[in-house]
Amino acid sequence: PGEGGPLTVGVDDTRQAAAEAAAAAFEEETGSTVETVLKNFEDIRADFNAQVPTGEGPDITVGAHDWLGELTANGVVAPIELGDKAAEFEQVALDAFTYEGQVYGLPYAVENIALIRNTALAPEAPATWDEAVAMGQAAGTQFPILIQVGETGDPYTMYPLQTSFGAPVFVQNDDGSYTAELALGGENGAAFAQWLAAQGAAGVIDTAITYDIAVEAFANGQAPFIIGGPWMLGSFEGLELAIDPIPSAGGRPAQPFVGVQGFYVNAQSENALLANDFLVNYLATEEAQLALYEAGDRPPALVAAADAASADPITAGFREVGADAVPMPSIPEMGAVWEFWGVTEANILNGADPVSTWEKMVADIQGALDAS
């Protein structure tokens, strides 16, 4: 097809209606046609990677920012030109979709974890982890604070506590982009590992607590606090909640990962200019981003839409925490980390020597990076 279309947009059922509403305005104003291609979200990345090199696949696909390293390495996505529109987005959302100085996705939603507080059990927010535990114990509930771990660990949920010790996973450049240099070792990593061991020994953080157990316990009023994301909120209806920053355990800011959802342009698209126009002028509008927000309950990436959505204090709370969060690394090297990270944390919680176990993890990750 030439620059007149039809433009194809790959979406899942959550984003379909909002994308089609934007497409209707685009069709009316440009005379082009837009077709949505419905897929399960779990299949989108693999299908896009397979289809684009053969000249297939949609012109635009919905996706997550942490796919970026793989998609750029495979040459299946093209940069987009935001122009003056870039200034209208939350900075963390733009940073997430930026690779080697170029923006590769149109962000529409930001998601991150925070401290979810049952205000009936804890009227005030804790300033530190120790204060949260003390407040939880004073509340007399079964659990002072809930954090999902499971037998294989959950380093995503644990990450803000790790960053509070100054042990991020990779070194970041001045512009916020990630290098391939590991930063989770050394004295700061050892301090975090020792803290983990102490929490495990005290029974405060327990590998027996899975996601489902944590959510059910909090919903039943068995803890004043849970660390989690907006995806949990549907299970907490009837509770009076507040969203607070995650309390620091190590003295530095507890920075969770932020995930950004957006739309990528097919590198082989013959409708690249049309695709860019649709993204920048029709999906980067307050109306479109609020429609996507209402479908997915994640704070919008466009500042004007995020301001409107922040009339809801729960959304405003997650947004405030997300503004100080760090993008999940989208560099290809991140793939070498997960295999070792969570199980190491779980082993330390269950009594393994913290420092030597953590150092072995760092060495194993470095070995995997060197071999790749």
Side-chain angles (χ1 to χ4, degrees), residues 115-124 218-221 223-226 233 235-244 312-314:
L115 186 73
I116 303 174
R117 173 167 54 93
N118 182 332
T119 58
L121 297 172
E124 302 293 331
F218 187 79
N220 291 335
F225 310 109
I226 186 172
L233 296 176
S235 299
F236 302 152
E237 292 181 8
L239 299 180
E240 290 294 326
L241 303 176
I243 308 301
D244 304 311
D312 175 2
I314 298 295

Side-chain angles (χ1 to χ4, degrees), residues 1-368:
E3 288 296 334
L7 193 64
T8 54
V9 183
V11 293
D12 62 349
D13 56 0
T14 301
R15 275 141 291 227
Q16 185 178 21
E20 288 180 346
F26 181 71
E27 289 178 332
E28 183 177 344
E29 294 180 20
T30 67
S32 301
T33 58
V34 180
E35 298 174 2
T36 54
V37 180
L38 187 62
K39 286 183 176 288
N40 292 323
F41 191 79
E42 296 76 19
D43 299 330
I44 288 175
R45 173 163 46 167
D47 288 355
F48 197 71
N49 272 312
Q51 291 171 342
V52 172
T54 69
E56 302 294 330
D59 297 295
I60 295 168
T61 186
V62 71
H65 90 270
D66 58 324
W67 302 358
L68 182 55
E70 179 184 347
L71 298 182
T72 53
N74 291 342
V76 298
V77 290
I80 64 171
E81 295 295 334
L82 286 174
D84 294 341
K85 202 80 171 186
E88 299 178 24
F89 284 91
E90 301 276 16
Q91 188 60 48
V92 71
L94 285 183
D95 289 347
F97 274 108
T98 300
Y99 181 66
E100 294 186 343
Q102 293 186 296
V103 178
Y104 279 85
L106 189 284
Y108 76 81
V110 179
E111 65 179 18
N112 52 270
I113 59 175
L115 186 73
I116 303 174
R117 173 167 54 93
N118 182 332
T119 58
L121 297 172
E124 302 293 331
T128 66
W129 176 266
D130 288 345
E131 187 177 321
V133 173
M135 290 170 68
Q137 291 168 340
T141 51
Q142 182 176 349
F143 305 100
I145 186 169
L146 287 160
I147 181 168
Q148 68 198 57
V149 184
E151 293 181 0
T152 57
D154 191 330
Y156 171 85
T157 307
M158 205 72 71
Y159 192 64
L161 301 168
Q162 181 177 321
T163 57
S164 79
F165 283 87
V169 59
F170 287 108
V171 173
Q172 287 180 272
N173 294 311
D174 291 341
D175 65 359
S177 61
Y178 287 92
T179 72
E181 181 184 349
L182 291 175
L184 72 180
E187 292 183 2
N188 292 344
F192 170 64
Q194 290 170 318
W195 175 85
L196 265 184
Q199 299 303 304
V204 176
I205 302 178
D206 189 344
T207 57
I209 303 299
T210 63
Y211 175 89
D212 290 342
I213 290 172
V215 168
E216 183 178 3
F218 187 79
N220 291 335
Q222 293 171 270
F225 310 109
I226 186 172
I227 294 177
W231 48 85
M232 293 180 172
L233 296 176
S235 299
F236 302 152
E237 292 181 8
L239 299 180
E240 290 294 326
L241 303 176
I243 308 301
D244 304 311
I246 294 167
S248 173
R252 305 189 192 196
Q255 293 181 289
F257 281 133
V258 66
V260 184
Q261 301 284 332
F263 293 89
Y264 291 103
V265 174
N266 183 329
Q268 301 295 325
S269 171
E270 296 180 6
N271 294 308
L273 293 177
L274 203 62
N276 203 87
D277 181 29
F278 177 64
L279 291 181
V280 174
N281 296 313
Y282 294 86
L283 279 175
T285 66
E286 184 175 345
E287 181 182 10
Q289 298 240 332
L290 283 173
L292 288 160
Y293 158 71
E294 288 161 8
D297 287 330
R298 309 292 193 269
L302 192 73
V303 171
D307 288 346
S310 292
D312 175 2
I314 298 295
T315 298
F318 277 111
R319 181 191 183 192
E320 184 177 340
V321 175
D324 293 326
V326 290
M328 172 92 74
S330 59
I331 56 176
E333 289 82 2
M334 191 66 184
V337 176
W338 298 113
E339 177 185 353
F340 306 100
W341 200 4
V343 292
T344 298
E345 291 182 346
N347 289 340
I348 291 171
L349 286 167
N350 287 332
D353 178 73
V355 175
S356 63
T357 303
W358 192 260
E359 288 177 346
K360 182 179 185 304
M361 175 200 73
V362 176
D364 287 341
I365 295 171
Q366 188 61 58

